[in-house]
């Protein structure tokens, strides 16, 4: 006899199936990025994609199996993994949120030592400069080493935009590196905190199922007949 509500069980299985698909998507992204991973840092990023996708897929399959089969061992392991995942994501998200100024300064010092922008960086920066009204990475138009593209031209500035003169041209003074870093960090923190919240929810749901599975079975009391007929008078006399 099933001890867990079928609606609760299949809801848990459904969300774990979605997470399994999410893990497969991460693995596929790693496969798609592998042909472009020529540098050691890029190869490390691809390996990280493989590892994270595989871990998410395995944990999701474990949770779905434990709920479907009402396996106490699988649900306990899933609950422990959810606790560890929550602690790990908060361990990265909270220091990342508090260390944003330090990260900006580290990146700024790193890009000050760069000699020239690569061709890939130039192609990626052109649409960003035109859309976000910025120029260069962390040093403004100076990052282009005299070859400032037209996307840096200060055209139709808004109230928050600032421009500066470069010889006979007016270019955006705000570096794009600050904007890119801020967007990346905000998205990363949002993903980490969201996954931590989902891990807490998954842990609570698995804990509720563990309690239900481990509950003692209900014992039925012996039934007694409620209708009682006294013996007849003649039967009492003859006895």
């Amino acid at each position: 006899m099933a001890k867990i509500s079928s609606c609760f069980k299949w809801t848990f299985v459904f969300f774990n199936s979605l997470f399994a698909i999410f893990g497969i998507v991460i693995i596929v992204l790693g496969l798609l990025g592998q042909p472009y991973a020529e540098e050691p840092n890029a190869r490390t990023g691809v390996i990280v994609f493989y590892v994270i996708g595989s871990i998410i897929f395995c944990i999701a399959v474990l949770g779905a199996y434990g709920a479907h089969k009402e396996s106490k061992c699988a649900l306990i392991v899933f609950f422990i993994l959810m606790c560890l995942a929550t602690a790990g994501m908060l361990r990265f998200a909270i220091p990342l949120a508090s260390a944003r100024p330090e990260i900006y300064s580290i990146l700024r010092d790193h890009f000050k030592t760069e000699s020239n922008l690569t061709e890939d960086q130039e192609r990626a920066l052109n649409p960003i400069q035109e859309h976000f009204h910025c120029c260069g990475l962390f040093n403004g138009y100076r990052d282009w080493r005299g070859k400032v593209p037209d996307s840096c031209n200060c055209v139709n500035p808004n109230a928050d935009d600032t421009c500066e003169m470069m010889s006979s041209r007016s270019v955006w003074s705000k570096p794009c590196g600050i904007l890119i870093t801020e967007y990346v960090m905000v998205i990363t923190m949002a993903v980490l905190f969201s996954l931590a919240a989902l891990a807490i929810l998954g842990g609570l749901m698995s804990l509720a199922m563990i309690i239900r599975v481990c509950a003692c079975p209900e014992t039925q009391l012996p039934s007694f007949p409620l209708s009682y007929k006294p013996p007849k008078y003649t039967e009492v006399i003859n006895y």
Side-chain angles (χ1 to χ4, degrees):
M1 181 179 178
K3 297 181 178 180
I4 304 174
S5 170
S6 60
C7 180
F8 186 77
K9 179 197 300 186
W10 288 112
T11 301
F12 189 77
V13 171
F14 173 74
F15 280 107
N16 276 281
S17 301
L18 292 181
F19 273 102
I21 295 172
F22 179 64
I24 294 174
V25 170
I26 294 177
I27 295 174
V28 171
L29 290 176
L31 290 172
L32 294 176
Q34 187 170 355
Y36 305 98
E38 299 178 355
E39 300 179 358
N41 292 334
R43 294 195 192 98
T44 304
V46 171
I47 294 173
V48 169
F49 269 84
Y50 288 151
V51 172
I52 293 176
S54 302
I55 291 175
I56 292 176
F57 177 79
C58 293
I59 292 176
V61 170
L62 177 66
Y65 170 81
H68 179 62
K69 296 294 185 180
E70 298 189 7
S71 172
K72 181 173 67 174
C73 294
L75 289 172
I76 290 174
V77 173
F78 181 83
F79 173 73
I80 295 173
L81 291 175
M82 287 296 99
C83 294
L84 294 176
T86 303
M89 283 181 284
L90 292 179
R91 171 67 180 81
F92 284 102
I94 295 175
L96 182 64
S98 60
R100 290 170 64 181
E102 289 80 1
I103 294 175
Y104 292 152
S105 62
I106 291 172
L107 289 174
R108 187 181 293 109
D109 293 339
H110 170 72
F111 282 101
K112 279 182 179 178
T113 61
E114 293 288 328
S115 57
N116 286 309
L117 293 172
T118 63
E119 293 182 0
D120 293 336
Q121 289 174 336
E122 291 179 4
R123 286 194 294 267
L125 272 178
N126 277 323
I128 295 174
Q129 291 176 152
E130 188 173 357
H131 181 74
F132 291 101
H133 294 179
C134 57
C135 186
L137 283 175
F138 287 92
N139 303 301
Y141 70 89
R142 299 169 188 84
D143 289 328
W144 291 101
R145 307 294 179 183
K147 300 179 181 179
V148 183
D150 294 336
S151 57
C152 282
N153 292 341
C154 189
V155 181
N156 299 325
N158 298 322
D160 298 331
D161 298 328
T162 55
C163 304
E164 61 180 324
M165 293 300 298
M166 185 205 72
S167 64
S168 60
R169 297 168 56 187
S170 177
V171 296
W172 306 113
S173 61
K174 187 188 302 180
C176 297
I178 298 294
L179 296 175
I180 296 172
T181 306
E182 187 170 356
Y183 275 109
V184 170
M185 291 185 65
V186 169
I187 293 173
T188 303
M189 288 187 294
V191 170
L192 289 174
F193 281 116
S194 299
L195 290 177
L198 291 175
I200 292 172
L201 179 61
L204 293 176
M205 294 178 71
S206 62
L207 180 61
M209 286 188 284
I210 292 169
I211 294 173
R212 184 60 182 167
V213 170
C214 295
C216 296
E218 297 179 357
T219 57
Q220 294 183 350
L221 297 175
S223 59
F224 296 97
L226 297 178
S227 61
Y228 173 72
K229 294 182 179 181
K232 295 180 179 180
Y233 178 77
T234 56
E235 294 178 355
V236 174
I237 295 297
N238 292 332
Y239 182 79

